[in-house]
Amino acid sequence: MAFLKVEGLAKVYAGARGRPDTVVFEDVNFSLERGEFVCLIGHSGCGKTTILNVLAGLETPSAGAVIVDGREISGPGLDRGVVFQNHALLPWLTVLGNVAFAVRARWPEWPAARVRARAKETLAKVGLAGAEHKRPAELSGGMKQRVGIARAFSIEPKMLLLDEPFGALDALTRGALQDELLRMVQAARQTVFMITHDVDEAILLADRILLMSSGPRARIVEVVENTLPRSRTRADLHHDPQYYRIRNHLLDFLVSRARSAAATGGAPRLVRPGLEGGEVASASEPRERSPRAATNAGVRGATVVSLHSNA
Amino acid sequence: MMPLGLRAAAVSLFLLALLLAAWHLATLPAGGRQAVSDEYAKLVGAAAATGQRSAMPGPLEVGAKLLEHLRDPFYDRGPNDKGIGVQLAYSLGRVLSGFALAAATAIPLGFLIGMSPLAYRALDPFVQVLRPISPLAWMPLALYALKDSHASAVFVIFVCSMWPMLINTAFGVASVRREWIQVARTLELRPPALALRVVLPAAAPTIFTGMRISIGIAWLVIVAAEMLVGGTGIGYFVWNEWNNLSIANILVGIFAIGMVGMGLDQAIGRIARLVSYAE
Ligand SMILES: Nc1ncnc2c1ncn2[C@@H]1O[C@H](COP(=O)(O)OP(=O)(O)OP(=O)(O)O)[C@@H](O)[C@H]1O
Ligand SMILES: [Mg+2]
């Protein structure tokens, strides 16, 4: 049973005064296993943030359901930590105050000292020890994003939802933060759903990459399995020829197929670029080829089946 | 090079000296020549018109008067002779109580209007009609209803300080950034906690701007209101000195009004700085 399951999700905005309705996306199906890191890639405006907001419970879908841990979600909750696209720190609180705000909400019965200690500890994990008493306005973009990550992490959510967390950062800061995030996520065996528009970021971080076609009527067209070993690092990534196969596949999709793919209906295809001559039909796929197949090949298979049954 | 603040202070002092000097020169004794028009000279009598002193007091005379007032600001010798400190205290008391009542009404009401589009639409026509009414227009009605000049003055202050606070609070609350609300929602904050720990601090700077505008208007209006109802207060003081034809006292009163008004504004500005934040 998948940890998170999205079934037949659609978002429609009613057209104003006689204009036709806008179907942002429809028939979106995917699922996440516990401890899995999944990235969602798609062109700007295709509805990625909307999907994340639905998962967070901040927006209601026009159709479909989101099931987390066996229960359909009905609103936002402390079981899902959200890192917002533009960090969304509360500017009147200090760095420590922002994280403590979340900790206090999560454990209202804790005494203030324990809340502070917890907040401090999480800030140290993202490398912000010493900056606790700064205000968000005094921080650099990377530091703000770190606070946002610490805030989401501090409440020990069952799953993390990240909306282009490093989108506005320079390449160097971005790299450092990716490493940090990966370290924290792996240490906590955190389930992560992350939006990005950076192909390399997705290959570095994700176990699976969801490819979304361009809207209107966007859909999740392909699920690309990351066939690189999980021990991959930013330093050795580009030495692996497999990396280029995945990268080219993703870029091909974004450059040429994202716009035309919307029309083709049916379930998303499971793709493993570079193995078995590129794309493998999901149903009859021999899973042993994947370097990480041993860990969750079984559940992956289940995912594919469920995707088909929903289509 | 001196720092900017110091240079500005130097220029301010220079301008002040220039102003005082011009005032002094303009009000010097006119040396036996008739200083006013013929008709006015007839009216006030030749002695006053051609006398040693101009009818308009100079800065030295006003300064002396000011010192005199400052030396004993709180004396009370009957209804028409109270120290300027006593009069200012009456005015301040009215302004602060009217203002406090207005804040206690306008801020919660503004919160409601800002939070609820329905309340906003429903109350908007009332605000639009009531706001442009000069607060003094309420005075006769207040006197009739309350039958007390002090209470009526407080009521007028209440009415005039209401609108800026109401409008600013509603605006500040309505324009709290959506993502801050979303953060609170993902943390499962209940509505009271959301209002108190997110909306209030987020809107506080805007609310304080409204309070600052309100206290400024209240201090403008109290002078006029006290001229109207009489009895006590700095407005009454100024009007009474006009009846006494003591221009020096009027000028002292005007100066005191300016200083206290500045003090009120700065006081709220101080508090506002505590709750302000940079985005
Ligand atoms: N209130 C609305 N009415 C109509 N359409 C809307 C409304 N809100 C959002 N949309 C549309 O929904 C689509 C998806 O928006 P969303 O923010 O999810 O995009 P995104 O994929 O996150 O884009 P980006 O990569 O730029 O962040 C957009 O095309 C937008 O025009
Ligand atoms: Mg977005």
Side-chain angles (χ1 to χ4, degrees):
Chain A
M1 175 82 193
F3 172 67
L4 172 129
K5 210 161 173 218
V6 172
E7 292 176 341
L9 213 61
K11 184 74 186 179
V12 182
Y13 287 106
R17 271 182 241 104
R19 302 246 300 279
D21 294 353
T22 328
V23 180
V24 180
F25 54 81
E26 61 184 355
D27 196 22
V28 165
N29 302 286
F30 63 91
S31 61
L32 264 76
E33 298 307 323
R34 207 180 286 276
E36 198 180 19
F37 198 131
V38 168
C39 275
L40 174 63
I41 293 193
H43 282 285
S44 180
C46 68
K48 302 183 296 295
T49 298
T50 312
I51 290 188
L52 185 127
N53 281 345
V54 170
L55 298 190
L58 294 168
E59 261 182 69
T60 45
S62 313
V66 178
I67 293 151
V68 176
D69 219 4
R71 299 246 302 273
E72 183 172 349
I73 62 157
S74 56
L78 285 157
D79 56 336
R80 282 152 286 150
V82 184
V83 177
F84 292 87
Q85 194 161 1
N86 38 11
H87 51 77
L89 300 181
L90 305 180
W92 57 89
L93 296 176
T94 59
V95 165
L96 187 69
N98 266 283
V99 180
F101 185 87
V103 176
R104 200 176 138 194
R106 173 72 176 80
W107 294 286
E109 70 282 1
W110 280 14
R114 190 164 177 203
V115 169
R116 280 173 62 90
R118 171 78 206 212
K120 274 196 148 166
E121 182 191 311
T122 325
L123 280 168
K125 269 191 208 154
V126 295
L128 279 180
E132 287 101 342
H133 299 290
K134 289 203 159 96
R135 306 259 159 186
E138 304 167 70
L139 301 182
S140 69
M143 289 162 94
K144 282 182 198 164
Q145 214 46 269
R146 283 191 166 102
V147 181
I149 292 171
R151 179 172 63 187
F153 238 95
S154 66
I155 59 171
E156 289 181 355
K158 284 188 194 160
M159 104 179 266
L160 268 186
L161 302 168
L162 301 106
D163 190 353
E164 291 194 39
F166 313 132
L169 303 179
D170 62 279
L172 234 73
T173 318
R174 172 188 281 253
L177 277 179
Q178 286 166 352
D179 289 345
E180 247 158 52
L181 177 70
L182 206 54
R183 197 168 34 71
M184 289 172 75
V185 161
Q186 284 176 352
R189 308 179 130 270
Q190 190 79 55
T191 311
V192 186
F193 178 81
M194 170 166 153
I195 294 173
T196 176
H197 57 237
D198 183 338
V199 167
D200 293 323
E201 181 169 272
I203 301 175
L204 175 67
L205 299 175
D207 300 320
R208 281 189 301 144
I209 301 160
L210 310 178
L211 298 181
M212 197 164 171
S213 61
S214 301
R217 296 182 177 277
R219 293 176 65 258
I220 289 181
V221 192
E222 277 182 24
V223 178
V224 176
E225 192 175 315
N226 193 341
T227 44
L228 288 168
R230 201 165 199 176
S231 59
R232 61 188 175 269
T233 64
R234 219 149 29 85
D236 65 22
L237 206 58
H238 53 278
H239 297 304
D240 192 331
Q242 180 65 5
Y243 159 74
Y244 292 98
R245 294 190 196 109
I246 304 175
R247 190 169 195 276
N248 286 342
H249 183 87
L250 298 180
L251 286 176
D252 277 345
F253 175 83
L254 288 177
V255 173
S256 48
R257 280 183 295 131
R259 295 195 193 284
S260 57
T264 63
R269 289 180 308 155
L270 181 65
V271 183
R272 308 167 73 201
L275 294 186
E276 300 257 297
E279 299 165 10
V280 182
S282 51
S284 58
E285 167 198 14
R287 270 169 223 97
E288 297 70 37
R289 300 276 163 80
S290 164
R292 285 175 302 143
T295 50
N296 37 19
V299 273
R300 290 263 160 78
T303 307
V304 172
V305 169
S306 79
L307 290 172
H308 273 286
S309 62
N310 275 319
Chain B
M1 196 73 184
M2 278 192 292
L4 184 65
L6 229 70
R7 276 184 290 156
V11 175
S12 292
L13 278 177
F14 173 72
L15 286 176
L16 178 67
L18 210 66
L19 203 77
L20 288 176
W23 180 14
H24 181 71
L25 288 177
T27 53
L28 272 183
R33 270 187 301 114
Q34 186 174 300
V36 293
S37 73
D38 289 342
E39 285 99 306
Y40 195 68
K42 261 181 232 150
L43 262 169
V44 297
T50 61
Q52 293 305 96
R53 297 158 57 96
S54 141
M56 186 71 187
L60 294 173
E61 196 186 329
V62 174
K65 203 70 177 181
L66 182 65
L67 277 182
E68 194 184 305
H69 280 292
L70 286 180
R71 211 166 289 143
D72 186 12
F74 295 111
Y75 70 86
D76 188 348
R77 290 180 219 114
N80 279 339
D81 195 7
K82 291 186 181 18
I84 198 164
V86 175
Q87 304 288 30
L88 281 171
Y90 273 114
S91 300
L92 265 177
R94 286 174 189 139
V95 163
L96 292 182
S97 39
F99 178 80
L101 280 174
T105 318
I107 294 174
L109 199 62
F111 229 87
L112 180 74
I113 295 177
M115 291 273 238
S116 137
L118 174 73
Y120 179 86
R121 284 183 177 227
L123 292 175
D124 190 51
F126 294 94
V127 176
Q128 295 303 334
V129 172
L130 291 174
R131 194 170 59 120
I133 299 173
S134 163
L136 292 168
W138 295 99
M139 188 58 100
L141 203 65
L143 285 169
Y144 170 75
L146 302 171
K147 303 199 170 49
D148 176 62
S149 63
H150 172 71
S152 302
V154 170
F155 175 76
V156 165
I157 295 304
F158 167 80
V159 170
C160 75
S161 15
M162 180 86 177
W163 311 119
M165 284 196 273
L166 183 74
I167 291 165
N168 270 50
T169 306
F171 176 74
V173 167
S175 45
V176 172
R177 294 257 293 269
R178 216 168 75 98
E179 66 234 43
W180 298 340
I181 307 274
Q182 289 187 333
V183 166
R185 287 182 58 208
T186 60
L187 294 171
E188 291 187 41
L189 251 64
R190 288 174 198 293
L194 176 78
L196 224 62
R197 293 176 53 203
V198 178
V199 179
L200 189 62
T206 321
I207 297 176
F208 267 94
T209 305
M211 292 173 92
R212 211 164 163 178
I213 299 171
S214 279
I215 200 103
I217 292 178
W219 190 243
L220 289 180
V221 167
I222 193 66
V223 175
E226 285 169 347
M227 284 181 173
L228 214 56
V229 295
T232 49
I234 191 68
Y236 171 70
F237 173 87
V238 169
W239 195 251
N240 197 35
E241 294 308 327
W242 163 239
N243 288 333
N244 294 341
L245 274 180
S246 169
I247 308 286
N249 269 334
I250 293 177
L251 288 171
V252 169
I254 288 176
F255 179 68
I257 292 171
M259 293 309 278
V260 172
M262 181 177 80
L264 286 173
D265 186 66
Q266 303 260 307
I268 299 224
R270 279 286 156 77
I271 310 172
R273 223 168 305 147
L274 293 181
V275 302
S276 76
Y277 54 83
E279 277 191 44

